[in-house]
Amino acid sequence: MTLGGSRSYYVSFDNVKVGGLIGTGVLSCLSAWHVKNPLIYVMRGAPTDNNATLFAQGYNAVLATAGYTPGKGNVVTENTGTWTPSVALTDFQGAYTVNRKINAVLTPNDENAAPIIAYLQSQGLKSQSLPFTGQDATLTGFQNIISGYQCGTVYKPIWIEAQAAAALAIYLRAGQNPPSGLVNGSSLDSTATVASLRQVPSVLLTPTWVTAATVEMTVIRDGVITVKALCTSSSPSVAGMSSPTFKADCATYGIK
């Protein structure tokens, strides 16, 4: 949403579903990685971003359904939220200093997760011990996934969004109402005051949760990330640690 704009339609991946995938992803990882007595640090995107609000709506609902709420003492929430990775790291370090029992982090995108994972690695974090989540299907995100530091990431192919926008534009250019099969939902424009809230007809696309086991059949197949980059590129260096490659991790998941 361009907040305060005069849009008639909105094209996007379903951002509440994106958040839902992040929520179910961290819960799945808690089980798969045998995390005992989970205490989840729940992070948010920037408070000025309408999409971040929708992501949080999705993952908070999933967590609440599973019994994870701040009121039960098994969730710690970030104070404000940000899309700036360095600020996300500072926020986490502050929370972790206060409560060392945090043993899972719901991060709303790969970029915010990366510096926190690198920081914990410098403190001796072991693979498959403290789950992180992500979004945006970045190279660093997938390297963290196959090496056992991130549970998965939400994949949103941008060309599908472009195709949907083009299809919608064809109907509008012809002066026709787009069919319900295309405009399949609505999005809340949360600008200004409550009196200005409005539901905007929307084309809402389906996101995909990608794990280490499904990397090859999704982003590798689609050419978003190459095997060479994923398996041989070094991760960002961490103070006091060598910068590893990921050939063995790729071999573990049959990525070639």
Side-chain angles (χ1 to χ4, degrees), residues 44-185:
R44 295 175 59 105
T48 54
D49 180 4
N50 196 59
N51 286 346
T53 299
L54 297 175
F55 300 149
Q57 180 183 331
Y59 55 69
N60 285 334
V62 169
L63 293 179
T65 299
Y68 288 93
T69 64
K72 292 189 176 182
N74 52 15
V75 167
V76 176
T77 57
E78 186 178 21
N79 289 331
T80 302
T82 182
W83 287 133
T84 303
S86 60
V87 176
L89 173 59
T90 299
D91 287 351
F92 171 81
Q93 288 173 321
Y96 194 58
T97 298
V98 172
N99 196 333
R100 290 280 176 170
K101 292 183 178 180
I102 291 172
N103 55 7
V105 185
L106 188 151
T107 29
N109 68 352
D110 298 349
E111 291 83 355
N112 279 10
I116 303 173
I117 292 172
Y119 163 73
L120 290 175
Q121 287 173 333
S122 73
Q123 303 298 305
L125 179 68
K126 295 181 179 180
S127 176
Q128 295 190 355
S129 61
L130 197 158
F132 280 79
T133 56
Q135 179 189 179
D136 297 331
T138 66
L139 175 59
T140 299
F142 280 116
Q143 289 174 334
N144 282 327
I145 289 167
I146 64 174
S147 58
Y149 294 96
Q150 187 172 317
C151 307
T153 187
V154 179
Y155 176 40
K156 302 178 294 184
I158 56 174
W159 58 87
I160 295 178
E161 202 167 15
Q163 289 168 352
L168 176 63
I170 289 170
Y171 282 99
L172 299 181
R173 184 175 184 273
Q176 302 294 316
N177 290 325
S180 59
L182 180 61
V183 179
N184 59 350

Side-chain angles (χ1 to χ4, degrees), residues 146 231 245-255:
I146 64 174
C231 300
T245 58
F246 301 89
K247 290 182 179 180
D249 300 311
C250 285
T252 297
Y253 294 101
I255 301 170

Side-chain angles (χ1 to χ4, degrees), residues 137-143 146 155 159 215-234 246-247 250 254-256:
T138 66
L139 175 59
T140 299
F142 280 116
Q143 289 174 334
I146 64 174
Y155 176 40
W159 58 87
V215 169
E216 190 166 48
M217 66 183 72
T218 53
V219 292
I220 298 296
R221 178 199 63 193
D222 292 346
V224 174
I225 290 176
T226 66
V227 171
K228 180 179 180 180
L230 178 64
C231 300
T232 63
S233 295
S234 296
F246 301 89
K247 290 182 179 180
C250 285
I255 301 170
K256 55 186 178 180

